[in-house]
Each structure stands twice: as structure tokens, then as C-alpha cells.
Amino acid sequence: MTPRACWDWACERTGLDRVWDALMARHIPEARGPVAWFYALGSATLFVFTLQAVTGALLAMNYVPSPDHAYDSVRFIGSQVLFGRFIRGLHHWGASAMVILVALHMLRVYFMAAYKYPREATWIVGVTLFTLVMGFSFTGYLLPWDQKAYWATMVGTSIAGQTPVIGPYMSKVLLGGAEMGAATMTRFYALHVLVLPMVTAAALGAHLFLVVWHGISEPPRRKEQGS
Ligand code: HEM
């Protein structure tokens, strides 16, 4: 059986060729010069998100989410684990890159008016993704359990606690009690590696489906005189 015959066999049974055409052979707007690069910001965010998922999974193989061992396990990753320092570095800088890229992607969508009809739902799902990215940053920051992590989370949860009406409940739910401790770490870890990735994967699926379904918007053009 030739590779071509194998491909035809699979396509007839799964519709793979149509999925391929929808994803890879779709129309991309013609943008020249630096403007063309703005269209790569969403894909760049997607790339860094994938990198974070892979490096995060590798880190989780040696990280211990408990106040007694978290700090030492992070030091262990940095000093003893093969490529540990490199992988932690990628995850650390990847987190910052993700925030910067998602903000730039959002700005390009805004300034090119790509959020307008019919792409409002893509924008709304995008806002959810933005909130989720912030959630990853906030929950991940605590995990090394060093002074910076501890006090930054203390400040963050105190700010959440100042929200009118629901503030005290929010801070209690985040901390897992009245004070920061083992329960806070367990909660943040569960959010960081379970809840947020699952919700983000679902939101990303919806976002990318909408992007492919609508097609990418054309760059805005100056209105011709008289038209
Ligand atoms: C995890 C975060 C995100 C990822 C991975 C992501 C990914 C993508 C990709 C790959 C595209 C197509 C290529 C492009 O236009 O750059 C896209 C388009 C789009 N994104 Fe995002 N995005 C994210 C967050 C956001 C946010 C925060 C917003 C706005 C609040 C947003 C709104 C949109 C819109 C409206 C489009 C359609 C643009 C057009 O048709 O020209 N996205 N996104």
C-alpha cells in the first residue's frame, strides 16, 4: 500500500482531508510589511501556551506541592534534575512572554477592529482566555514558596478581600481558611495544574474553532473618497 493509498483510506473514513483543508488551506488576508507580523501574535501565544503545558508537566514530575518541601523541590529541580534549570527557566520566562503576547494580540485585534461583527463571540472567549492567563500567573507565582511568592500572594489575596460584598468570601476560598498555609498551596496548585488548564483547553478550542470558522479579518482599509 503506497502512502497516498494510506492517506486516501484514512480520509474516506475520518474526513481528515477536510479538516486539513479547513486548517491549512484557508484564506489568509494579504498584509504586507510589519503589519503581517501582527497576525502572528495569536499563533505566538498559542506556541508559548503549548510550551508552558510541556515544561509545566516536566516540572510537576519533581515538584512537591507542600509548604515543607516546595522550596527544596524547586531548588532540587534547578540543581540536580537533568535540564531542570533550563526547563524551569523556560517555564518562568514563558509565563511572562505569555502575558505580554496575549496583551499584544488583544491590542492588535482591538486596533484592527477585528472584534466587530461577526467576531464578537471570538472576542468574548478571548476575554475569558485573558482572565485565565492572569489566573495562571497568580496561582503559579506562589508555587516556589519563597519570600517573594509568599508576600506577593498575601498582597493579591488581600486585594481580592477588599472587593465589596464578596471580598471576604473570595479571600477565604482562595486561602482555604483565614490565613495562608498548606491549604492555600494545595488550592493554588490544584487550580494551576488541573482547573485552569482544563478550562483554558476548552476555551482555546472554542476560540480556535471560531477563528477558523469566520476566517481571519482583513486589515482595515482607508475608505476611498466618494464610496
Ligand atoms: C491564550 C490566549 C489566546 C490564544 C492562544 C489566541 C489565539 C488566537 C489565534 C491563533 C488567532 C488567529 C491568528 C491571529 O489573528 O493572531 C486568534 C484570533 C483572534 N483572537 Fe485570539 N487568542 C488568545 C487570546 C485572545 C484574547 C485575550 C482576545 C481578545 C480579548 C482574542 C481575540 C481574538 C479575535 C477577535 C480573533 C480574530 C481576529 C481576526 O479575525 O482578525 N484572543 N487568536
Side-chain angles (χ1 to χ4, degrees):
M1 212 178 187
T2 62
R4 178 79 224 175
C6 287
W7 173 249
D8 290 343
W9 185 93
C11 290
E12 253 180 68
R13 283 152 189 87
T14 59
L16 258 179
D17 49 345
R18 281 198 247 159
V19 177
W20 177 265
D21 285 352
L23 293 178
M24 297 299 174
R26 63 205 169 86
H27 172 74
I28 300 287
E30 197 181 322
R32 288 175 211 282
V35 174
W37 285 98
F38 298 153
Y39 282 88
L41 287 167
S43 305
T45 316
L46 189 60
F47 172 77
V48 178
F49 177 74
T50 314
L51 186 75
Q52 290 303 90
V54 173
T55 52
L58 291 173
L59 289 174
M61 288 182 191
N62 286 291
Y63 174 77
V64 184
S66 103
D68 291 344
H69 303 293
Y71 182 74
D72 290 333
S73 70
V74 171
R75 283 181 69 100
F76 176 76
I77 291 171
S79 58
Q80 307 291 319
V81 175
L82 185 68
F83 296 122
R85 205 174 136 83
F86 177 64
I87 289 164
R88 188 175 171 225
L90 280 180
H91 199 73
H92 177 91
W93 293 106
S96 303
M98 180 91 193
V99 172
I100 295 168
L101 285 170
V102 81
L104 290 175
H105 171 56
M106 198 167 165
L107 284 174
R108 112 78 186 136
V109 167
Y110 178 74
F111 283 112
M112 288 192 169
Y115 57 86
K116 288 188 181 173
Y117 176 84
R119 295 184 179 79
E120 296 95 326
T122 320
W123 173 267
I124 293 167
V125 179
V127 173
T128 313
L129 281 169
F130 185 78
T131 317
L132 290 165
V133 171
M134 296 301 134
F136 272 113
S137 301
F138 184 54
T139 51
Y141 207 85
L142 176 71
L143 301 183
W145 201 250
D146 51 13
Q147 286 290 322
K148 212 165 62 164
Y150 185 91
W151 293 108
T153 306
M154 187 73 102
V155 171
T157 48
S158 305
I159 293 174
Q162 300 302 313
T163 313
V165 188
I166 55 164
Y169 301 103
M170 258 170 71
S171 127
K172 211 169 169 183
V173 167
L174 282 173
L175 293 175
E179 283 172 20
M180 207 154 114
T184 319
M185 169 150 265
T186 311
R187 268 180 199 202
F188 274 48
Y189 186 65
L191 285 169
H192 194 76
V193 306
L194 284 173
V195 181
L196 291 172
M198 279 193 295
V199 181
T200 307
L204 255 181
H207 194 66
L208 296 179
F209 168 78
L210 289 168
V211 167
V212 172
W213 192 49
H214 287 302
I216 305 283
S217 63
E218 295 283 336
R221 280 175 223 282
R222 198 183 292 273
K223 204 173 166 204
E224 296 301 328
Q225 255 188 347
S227 66

